[in-house]
Amino acid sequence: MKTLIFILSALMSFHATSAEKFDGKAFAKTYFEAWSETQKPNAKAEDIENYLKLLKDDIGHQHLPYDPNADRADDNKELMREGMTYYLAAHTEYSSELLSVTEGLNVVIIKYAYQSKGIHPQTKKAAEINKEMIEVLEIEDGLVSVIRKY
């Protein structure tokens, strides 16, 4: 009986993993390109929408010290849309490069470098950034459920 249960469990596990066929590397590239488009000086609202299509409605977002937790809530995608729209086209220059992608079970980790210049919409002060970022993307149903930026 134990053998039968083990075999059935193994078959069910195999079926579940083979049926989904999530390509983390392809998803990472799509995600990174969509994000980068939202940061460019000529970014448009449709670029934000293309990016948001990759996220769950209750997306969690953590980016210390700005977003200290990654709590998920039904209106998080809408709040992200509002925040991104506020900063839309604030950069006068932007370039980025995807450096690496690591896949795991229900997670994709991307590392990228970017350079940006722009005027902060609230303070009206010039800002210039040149850094590397790591994003841990937790995946659920083929969409990003939680973003953790480091």
Side-chain angles (χ1 to χ4, degrees), residues 26-38:
F27 183 86
K29 184 177 180 195
T30 299
Y31 174 90
F32 174 73
E33 289 173 0
W35 168 254
S36 294
E37 288 300 313
T38 71

Side-chain angles (χ1 to χ4, degrees), residues 8-149:
L8 288 174
S9 296
L11 286 173
M12 288 172 42
S13 174
F14 175 75
H15 176 71
T17 56
S18 64
E20 293 177 16
K21 294 199 180 196
F22 178 78
D23 185 342
K25 290 194 187 298
F27 183 86
K29 184 177 180 195
T30 299
Y31 174 90
F32 174 73
E33 289 173 0
W35 168 254
S36 294
E37 288 300 313
T38 71
Q39 302 302 299
K40 292 183 178 177
N42 59 348
K44 298 175 182 62
E46 69 187 60
D47 296 317
I48 293 173
E49 293 307 315
N50 288 335
Y51 171 73
L52 293 175
K53 287 177 187 174
L54 302 172
L55 312 180
K56 302 278 290 180
D57 289 340
D58 64 345
I59 183 75
H61 186 266
Q62 181 179 42
H63 184 189
L64 297 171
Y66 315 107
D67 294 322
N69 65 53
D71 292 344
R72 293 173 70 180
D74 291 339
D75 65 342
N76 279 0
K77 188 189 263 188
E78 182 56 37
L79 294 173
M80 187 173 268
R81 177 181 287 112
E82 289 174 21
M84 291 179 75
T85 301
Y86 179 75
Y87 288 99
L88 185 63
H91 292 137
T92 56
E93 295 178 31
Y94 183 83
S95 64
S96 59
E97 177 185 6
L98 184 60
L99 301 173
S100 68
V101 176
T102 303
E103 295 178 83
L105 181 61
N106 300 322
V107 68
V108 175
I109 303 166
I110 63 172
K111 181 178 181 181
Y112 60 94
Y114 76 97
Q115 297 177 330
S116 67
K117 290 183 181 180
I119 306 297
H120 192 281
Q122 186 177 28
T123 66
K124 306 299 182 205
K125 292 184 179 182
E128 186 172 343
I129 300 172
N130 181 1
K131 68 167 70 173
E132 289 184 359
M133 292 290 296
I134 295 173
E135 291 191 25
V136 178
L137 308 173
E138 297 177 19
I139 307 296
E140 185 180 292
D141 302 323
L143 298 172
V144 179
S145 59
V146 177
I147 302 167
R148 299 183 195 278
K149 293 186 178 200

